Amino acid sequence: MIAQSFFFLDKNISGKKIILRKLERYDLEASITWLKDPTVNKFLSHNFKELTIDEELQWFNSIQLSNKDMVFSIIAKDKNKYIGNCGLHRIDWVSKTCELGIVIGNKEYWNKGYGSDVINSITDFAINKLNLVNIHLNVYEYNNRAIKAYKNAGFKLIKILKKNHLYDNKYWDTYVMEYS
Ligand SMILES: CC(C)(COP(=O)(O)OP(=O)(O)OC[C@H]1O[C@@H](n2cnc3c(N)ncnc32)[C@H](O)[C@@H]1OP(=O)(O)O)[C@@H](O)C(=O)NCCC(=O)NCCS
């Protein structure tokens, strides 16, 4: 069974350097390795250090049935390589809002413009295909690369949640950003 939201995906989303296709079960093994990597998950909203493949599978199955989530695999066009995941979450079809998530798990692909291309492409899809009007996200103040990539794609800082995130024995701000 496929979630209703994926009926909007008549073809894969194509950017300059990436293709976004539906996340498949066979992607999960690489995905869990990335999520458990402390140099990656320090930037993410959940601490995935203890994540098991069973829990990952459960999450994957729930996504298949969800009308509020669309999760994509990021494929680098140059080598047709799977490098990360991105998704639209908490899609509210009435207020036309959603939350954006992205992780490029293969660190060889950081800082080469792939993330900005993904963010541009998925934002364009959300606005022009799904007819959403507002996309928001949370990002930690120490994630300067992500903040820059979001700004590159037109996201604006709208709120700062002061010192609400504990990392490395320190409390950090969370920035709320949106595209509208
Ligand atoms: C965040 C992420 C998606 C960005 O993708 P990316 O492909 O690495 O980023 P891009 O190369 O497209 O853009 C990065 C921008 O940040 C800049 N940058 C990199 N390091 C920086 C730093 N320490 N301070 C300020 N800017 C920085 C780059 O110069 C580039 O800007 P430019 O294109 O204007 O020169 C990716 O690095 C990633 O998945 N990281 C781990 C998980 C994560 O942080 N997810 C987001 C959670 S909110």
Side-chain angles (χ1 to χ4, degrees):
M1 177 151 167
I2 191 162
Q4 203 182 333
S5 43
F6 267 96
F7 292 154
F8 287 97
L9 190 71
D10 49 0
K11 57 182 187 329
N12 290 338
I13 299 168
S14 185
K16 292 191 180 93
K17 298 162 79 95
I18 54 87
I19 286 172
L20 305 180
R21 62 152 171 79
K22 188 177 167 296
L23 181 79
E24 298 292 352
R25 190 178 295 252
Y26 53 74
D27 296 324
L28 297 184
E29 204 177 319
S31 184
I32 194 170
T33 312
W34 298 330
L35 295 177
K36 288 169 81 83
D37 178 345
T39 63
V40 175
N41 72 37
K42 65 185 253 194
F43 297 119
L44 306 180
S45 56
H46 298 288
N47 183 338
F48 292 104
K49 276 184 214 147
E50 310 296 331
L51 184 69
T52 65
I53 191 76
D54 282 348
E55 287 165 344
E56 175 84 339
L57 207 51
Q58 246 177 43
W59 168 80
F60 176 79
N61 289 336
S62 72
I63 290 294
Q64 306 312 302
L65 302 173
S66 168
N67 291 326
K68 296 180 176 167
D69 302 271
M70 295 182 82
V71 183
F72 301 93
S73 307
I74 304 168
I75 312 296
K77 277 185 180 176
D78 58 348
K79 292 187 179 146
N80 194 29
K81 197 174 171 66
Y82 171 46
I83 60 166
N85 301 330
C86 65
L88 303 173
H89 301 281
R90 300 173 204 262
I91 302 172
D92 183 326
W93 299 103
V94 178
S95 66
K96 296 191 173 292
T97 61
C98 72
E99 193 171 316
L100 171 65
I102 176 169
V103 54
I104 296 181
N106 184 327
K107 289 178 274 187
E108 285 171 25
Y109 284 80
W110 284 5
N111 274 327
K112 294 178 179 164
Y114 286 88
S116 299
D117 194 20
V118 170
I119 298 162
N120 273 320
S121 304
I122 195 169
T123 300
D124 178 66
F125 174 77
I127 301 283
N128 294 314
K129 270 278 187 181
L130 302 185
N131 293 319
L132 303 181
V133 297
N134 180 293
I135 305 165
H136 56 275
L137 59 87
N138 288 351
V139 56
Y140 302 130
E141 65 170 310
Y142 55 80
N143 197 350
N144 291 309
R145 182 175 41 238
I147 292 166
K148 186 71 196 328
Y150 294 135
K151 283 185 178 162
N152 284 350
F155 280 75
K156 303 247 183 317
L157 174 66
I158 54 158
K159 194 162 47 169
I160 298 180
L161 308 172
K162 298 300 282 181
K163 308 286 174 225
N164 75 338
H165 175 64
L166 178 63
Y167 167 68
D168 202 19
N169 294 320
K170 273 173 70 176
Y171 284 92
W172 303 83
D173 294 348
T174 297
Y175 293 176
V176 183
M177 300 183 77
E178 75 172 12
Y179 183 102
S180 61

